[in-house]
Amino acid sequence: MKKAYKIAVVNGDGVGAEIVPAGVSVLDAVAEKYGFQLDKEAFPFGAGYYKENGKFMSDDALETLKGFDAIFFGAVGLPEIDDTLPARDYTFRVRTSFQQYINYRPVKLFPGVDSPLRYKTQEDIDFVVIRENNEGEFVQSGKILHADKPAGLAVDTSIFTRFGIERVAHYSFKLARKRNRKVTNVTKSNTLISSLAYWDQVIAEVAEEYPDVEYSKMYIDNASASFVLRPEIFDVILTTNLFGDILSDLGGAIMGSLGLGGSGNINPEKEFPSMFEPIHGSAPDIAGQNSANPIGQIWSAAIMLEHLGETEAAQDIMDGIEHTTAQGNLTKDLGGTATTVEVADSVVEFIRAAKMATV
């Protein structure tokens, strides 16, 4: 009997309607090859849903999604919708409700893609940004008082707990043991002398439990410059919600395009479904043109399968991506002429060809 996984598919908005089906086509190909089943169900949640219903997801959405093994998500947001709402009412709700406290965002240079860093190679750009995903600067604990008055006041409060810091730190050090045994804590505790000093303290305590992993601390300004000047020094980057959001986009940029970046919002214990999405936004300006880069979505599919335990299938997808980029099948954002569908088809063809070669 085939092993089956329940996958909730949420295209979201903009190019999500193109890149998610592209990613699903790759998932279907690799599931057939490796003999497992993906029971997929589509949901229309997002800013488009909000336009029709006044909310980003149905009232029973979280309870319904809880029954799935994973959520395969595109992007959320439309120009005509207040851009403070998508994160609050969709993305953050899912991440916090399902305790997806790890945001896993790998950065690597693919063959056939030129990094904007002209002297850097594939050996130089290969690391992971681990972003704490439930606490920190994005908890939205704040208020605006007397906005239109001379004494108007706005406050947002960051929240860091020992529990939250410890669990993301342990995940990062365990991940480093599977990679190159190096963790860099990216912080700004010289100015945020309470919250991030505590962050540093707890991480340093956890680091003592992993004497086989090299541990260092770097301030966010230095880390940002080092992404550009010497990305080869990084392996696993452990950082806060806000800093991780910014650094992972910078990571996409040094790869050559934000369209390349995949990610996972992960509940490591698998008590709740994890959600997998590209790092970029909904890009409504190019929606419907079959020109969006699907590689970030396809990479997210590989991260999803790795989380579910289908490691060989995940690696096959990664091999397919690398084969595709090496052959010059690149979308417009990378200076190529390939369409969204053509890039996905190239990955699918690689997977199928590899299957035929092993028969």
Side-chain angles (χ1 to χ4, degrees), residues 8-51:
V9 178
V10 183
N11 289 353
D13 305 302
V15 297
E18 298 158 75
I19 59 173
V20 173
V24 167
S25 71
V26 173
L27 283 168
D28 287 341
V30 83
E32 180 182 0
K33 175 176 179 178
Y34 287 92
F36 57 87
Q37 185 173 323
L38 297 174
D39 296 330
K40 302 182 292 292
E41 184 175 348
F43 296 89
F45 306 145
Y49 188 87
Y50 176 86
K51 287 173 66 176

Side-chain angles (χ1 to χ4, degrees), residues 75-112:
V76 63
L78 292 171
E80 60 269 31
I81 303 300
D82 180 352
D83 65 1
T84 66
L85 299 179
R88 187 193 71 184
D89 293 346
Y90 178 78
T91 312
F92 290 172
R93 281 191 68 195
V94 173
R95 291 173 179 175
T96 56
S97 297
F98 294 151
Q99 296 183 34
Q100 297 168 353
Y101 60 88
I102 298 296
N103 189 278
Y104 176 97
R105 294 191 171 187
V107 177
K108 66 179 294 182
L109 187 59
F110 288 108

